[in-house]
Amino acid sequence: QEHLVESGGGLVQPGGSLRLSCVISGPSLRFYAIGWFRQAPGKEREGVSCISSSDSNTDYTDSVKGRFTISRDNAKNTVYLQMDSLKPEDTAVYYCAAKYYSDSTICRADYSDMDYRGKGTLVTVSS
């Protein structure tokens, strides 16, 4: 049974940075594409970024392009989301989720389709 645990959230001022981590336990992370999602108060959950299992493809929602970077370290079974130039509208609970695709180049941020999901970590951007 796979389990995902997010960490790294917290309170940060506008313009600041945070790095979120998603550690997956169980069979090796290297077989799974990973997505980061977020849900702000009163809003629907949205896909933020994803990375393919082969590490060959990444994708970002438009609002975070150029500010967020997703990466993975399969040796540590960990996926990271580096978040720079944070804005108040980035405030949300951030979740990671894993999906197995037979095609290792696929990456899709579709939360309802994921195989495993974490419980989330809160990011608050405020002065």
Side-chain angles (χ1 to χ4, degrees):
Q1 181 70 37
E2 301 284 353
H3 295 283
L4 291 85
V5 179
E6 304 92 339
S7 63
L11 174 63
V12 63
Q13 292 186 342
S17 298
L18 283 174
R19 189 178 76 160
L20 305 184
S21 299
C22 172
V23 177
I24 184 169
S25 60
S28 177
L29 169 66
R30 68 179 183 271
F31 297 116
Y32 291 89
I34 302 295
W36 281 99
F37 304 82
R38 66 185 180 186
Q39 187 166 20
K43 295 187 177 182
E44 293 186 354
R45 185 179 285 112
E46 65 170 336
V48 175
S49 181
C50 63
I51 186 166
S52 62
S53 61
S54 66
D55 203 6
S56 61
N57 286 321
T58 60
D59 197 16
Y60 300 89
T61 193
D62 287 344
S63 62
V64 308
K65 285 180 180 177
R67 300 189 297 122
F68 289 12
T69 304
I70 192 170
S71 62
R72 63 192 299 153
D73 185 340
N74 287 343
K76 295 183 178 180
N77 266 15
T78 302
V79 172
Y80 303 98
L81 186 68
Q82 178 67 40
M83 306 187 296
D84 299 318
S85 302
L86 282 162
K87 304 175 181 180
E89 51 263 43
D90 295 318
T91 295
V93 177
Y94 284 72
Y95 304 86
C96 65
K99 174 69 177 179
Y100 173 77
Y101 298 103
S102 57
D103 183 343
S104 64
T105 66
I106 291 177
C107 154
R108 296 194 190 108
D110 182 349
Y111 190 78
S112 64
D113 192 39
M114 306 306 275
D115 296 325
Y116 304 101
R117 305 172 182 85
K119 293 184 178 181
T121 184
L122 177 63
V123 172
T124 303
V125 185
S126 175
S127 55

